Amino acid sequence: MTPDALDPGCGRTLEELSDYLSAGSSPDSLHMDNCPQCQAALAALRRLHTLTGQLLESDLHQAGSTDEPWFRSIMDNLRLETKAGRSIALAGAHPDDDLSETEGAVVALIRTIGDTVHGATIGKCRFNGNLETPGAPIGIEVNVTALWGERLPDLANTLRQTLAQALARHTELNVDDIDIAITDLGVVSPGSKGNGTAP
Amino acid sequence: MSTADQLHRLVLSVPGVAAVYPADPAWRAPMNRLGAVMAPGTSAPEPELVRLRMDGSTAHVRIRVGASGDVPAPELARRIAAEIRATLGTETEMEAGAIAVQICSIAAVPSVPRKAEPTPSPATAPTATTRPSMQS
């Protein structure tokens, strides 16, 4: 069998997915319910909605604006992640095995794992290196929005360790560097459900 | 039951598999756009979940899955391929050829406490191809 060409991605836009999330229905729902890229983007949108719900009202007002840099950055990256991306080879037990995982799946894993770390919300996430060459050294750049009141070095260390564990478990990538940059700070309302500390 | 259906059930039963996705990632896209113009409300064909191609008596298989996160994803891919090979060899008269398994999503099993999450929307719940025990 000739190996299939690179996954072209599903082609749905973030706007379509956001509409689906808001309305709960779409003429394209059959696809969205069965597409891993759409599912990952929808999950990330849900988490983003949770974050915005935790911000102070003043920040929330700004967050609703597409001119707000951190919000626009996260949305831009989610838009990229609706694509499956490159195919990352996995070692097979049989010579005719053709095993892989998608770049989109790994990026979504990083975002999901990172978002579980208290005080962190993942923004940009990029791989540096040749993902398609087994064993090639890979660097990962992760931008993070941190909640005000977190000790940032501790947050970065926890995040780096958590991501390294998840990547070691679920990929065969040779990750030699996880570069974490705190690019924004958010403030949690004292009355919100978030666990962050108000200043 | 066709061999493709048999393999679909088999893969869904492998521990660590949360879902089976259409083998062709671009399925339905042309049909959607054409259908919206030509015949609103017309249903599109069901997606091909297991791509099975025959070359004489040799079966080549392609499948795309979502991982539950309970099993390391690389190990899961190898288990699936091995199960498919074993089934083709023992329960059919086919010879296993190339077996392509792609992990398309990996659910996170948290090692740290999760933040509060919103109630899942119906819009985000995978449907027919999801393991029943894995549905939320």
Side-chain angles (χ1 to χ4, degrees), chain B residues 13-32:
Chain B
S13 72
V14 174
V17 172
V20 175
Y21 294 111
D24 174 8
W27 78 278
R28 240 180 93 85
M31 180 61 76
N32 267 344

Side-chain angles (χ1 to χ4, degrees), chain B residues 22-108:
Chain B
D24 174 8
W27 78 278
R28 240 180 93 85
M31 180 61 76
N32 267 344
R33 286 162 189 157
L34 183 65
V37 174
M38 300 294 292
T42 303
S43 60
E46 288 299 309
E48 180 186 37
L49 296 172
V50 177
R51 178 172 294 170
L52 182 63
R53 297 287 179 264
M54 297 303 300
D55 179 11
S57 62
T58 302
H60 304 293
V61 178
R62 174 177 167 79
I63 193 161
R64 303 168 76 231
V65 304
S68 68
D70 300 316
V71 176
E75 183 182 330
L76 178 64
R78 287 188 281 272
R79 278 191 198 174
I80 292 169
E83 292 278 357
I84 290 173
R85 286 189 186 284
T87 296
L88 288 174
T90 58
E91 298 186 24
T92 75
E93 296 182 351
M94 301 173 188
E95 180 183 344
I99 307 295
V101 179
Q102 187 172 59
I103 307 289
C104 297
S105 69
I106 306 167

Side-chain angles (χ1 to χ4, degrees), chain A residues 65-85:
Chain A
S65 165
T66 54
D67 292 332
E68 190 65 15
W70 72 268
F71 188 81
R72 189 171 64 242
S73 170
I74 291 176
M75 294 296 281
D76 285 348
N77 283 288
L78 287 180
R79 188 171 285 112
L80 288 175
E81 289 168 21
T82 58
K83 298 183 185 302

Side-chain angles (χ1 to χ4, degrees), chain A residues 162-176:
Chain A
T162 305
L163 293 180
Q165 288 172 2
L167 290 167
R169 176 174 169 82
H170 287 299
T171 77
E172 292 175 344
L173 293 173
N174 176 19
V175 178
D176 67 353

